[in-house]
Amino acid sequence: MSEAAAHLDTRSPFGTYPAERMVRAAWRLADRHDLSRGLRKRIRSLVARFFKGPYDLEADGLKFRIYPGENYDDRKILAKGRLPERAEHTLLEPHLQDGTVFVDVGANIGSYAVFAARRGAEVVAIEANPQTAHKLSYNVRANELDNVTVVNSAVGPKDDSLPLWHEPSNCGFATFVKDLTTGEWASDWSPTYVNVRPLTAIADQQGLKRIDVLKVDVEGFEDRVVLPFLRHADKPMWPRVILLETNCRPYWSEDCLPELANRGYEVTGRTNDNMVFELTG
């Protein structure tokens, strides 16, 4: 989609940009899955031209400033009036309470991080895309949360600088895996070089003594986040629970699942896109 990006506003008070009825109706139309994928894409492009955002709205009791022309999660929140990961939240909620340490790798606009923080968790929300990290920080402030630390960094096996591929209609689908930018997901992708750090280094910098729940959603790079951490971190730092996006599993360079099983993790939940693992030892 080649339309100009929406104006990024992370300063004005929440409520400055109400989502009027016409806006919601337009994005509901663009989200209709009874339409063909091609038609839905054309409608979305047209709607994004006129209703790109930003808009302020509440979903499941949480406040978000969203930019639906630029992000899939934002479109889902606006079209459905709720958070897009309800099934995953249901699986995670029993593990979230006051003092839980929740690390969110690939935090996007905060639909997991804000959800976990509202349930009392101490959250480290890690987001590689600088502009998305600004949006995430705004949403944290809009919800008046003081238990979320936003880290603008990518996570990988070693300190590095890598091209993060992104396309203008879905900044939340940024990836280091260039093969993902072709075929089914072919679009107007472009790279931005970002700093990459191991999760062990970020955890040490944040002074973490443990990670209770780890969520990793980094579009085919999940193996290069999780496996180096488990191989280099002391066992007391291993997360009790891992929510791992697996819908890009064919693009992993190593399959995480056998090693997770060998280290004592059992699958305790599944959704269409994710799996939940719990440490049993």
Side-chain angles (χ1 to χ4, degrees):
M1 190 169 61
S2 59
E3 290 81 7
H7 168 63
L8 178 64
D9 183 353
T10 59
R11 294 183 178 274
S12 62
F14 183 83
T16 300
Y17 303 103
E20 305 291 355
R21 181 177 299 179
M22 183 180 296
V23 173
R24 293 174 182 264
W27 280 110
R28 280 196 296 270
L29 174 63
D31 190 55
R32 280 183 52 177
H33 283 256
D34 58 333
L35 304 176
S36 71
R37 183 175 178 178
L39 178 57
R40 196 164 64 245
K41 186 175 181 179
R42 290 194 294 273
I43 293 173
R44 187 177 71 226
S45 180
L46 179 64
V47 171
R49 189 178 305 165
F50 296 100
F51 304 113
K52 64 185 61 150
Y55 300 108
D56 296 338
L57 74 163
E58 293 193 27
D60 295 338
L62 306 175
K63 297 177 180 178
F64 294 92
R65 174 160 293 171
I66 62 172
Y67 300 77
E70 301 176 355
N71 197 340
Y72 173 87
D73 275 9
D74 295 37
R75 290 193 286 275
K76 288 294 182 183
I77 291 171
L78 184 53
K80 296 184 179 300
R82 62 171 178 80
L83 299 182
E85 306 95 352
R86 274 188 170 175
E88 287 81 2
H89 290 175
T90 297
L91 292 173
L92 286 181
E93 191 161 19
H95 306 288
L96 300 172
Q97 55 191 344
D98 288 349
T100 297
V101 177
F102 179 82
V103 175
D104 184 351
V105 180
N108 202 338
I109 64 165
S111 57
Y112 280 93
V114 173
F115 170 83
R118 271 292 177 88
R119 279 146 185 81
E122 297 294 326
V123 178
V124 177
I126 306 170
E127 172 54 47
N129 187 314
Q131 182 162 311
T132 306
H134 286 307
K135 297 175 181 178
L136 166 64
S137 295
Y138 179 87
N139 291 333
V140 169
R141 294 195 302 273
N143 286 279
E144 300 180 342
L145 297 168
D146 60 5
N147 53 336
V148 181
T149 300
V150 175
V151 178
N152 180 203
S153 177
V155 181
K158 62 180 181 178
D159 286 295
D160 208 344
S161 178
L162 293 175
L164 182 68
W165 292 87
H166 52 91
E167 59 96 11
S169 73
N170 190 5
C171 61
F173 196 59
T175 181
F176 291 114
V177 183
K178 193 168 188 282
D179 288 349
L180 259 176
T181 67
T182 61
E184 178 183 356
W185 289 297
S187 187
D188 184 21
W189 295 86
S190 59
T192 298
Y193 275 80
V194 298
N195 292 327
V196 180
R197 302 192 69 201
L199 185 55
T200 48
I202 293 175
D204 184 63
Q205 182 185 48
Q206 295 300 318
L208 300 183
K209 304 302 182 186
R210 71 181 196 279
I211 297 175
D212 297 310
V213 182
L214 172 66
K215 169 255 178 181
V216 184
D217 175 354
V218 286
E219 320 306 344
F221 212 65
E222 290 83 8
D223 59 311
R224 281 149 281 192
V225 173
V226 172
L227 296 183
F229 181 75
L230 293 177
R231 290 167 183 169
H232 294 102
D234 294 334
K235 190 170 181 179
M237 281 294 293
W238 292 3
R240 293 187 297 102
V241 177
I242 299 174
L243 185 143
L244 187 67
E245 186 178 58
T246 53
N247 64 348
C248 292
R249 184 179 176 187
Y251 295 91
W252 293 350
S253 60
E254 292 185 79
D255 193 347
C256 296
L257 273 57
E259 184 156 343
L260 285 168
N262 289 338
R263 291 175 182 270
Y265 284 93
E266 291 185 358
V267 178
T268 59
R270 299 173 186 262
T271 67
N272 289 338
D273 296 327
N274 297 273
M275 297 174 69
V276 175
F277 301 83
E278 292 188 44
L279 187 61
T280 58

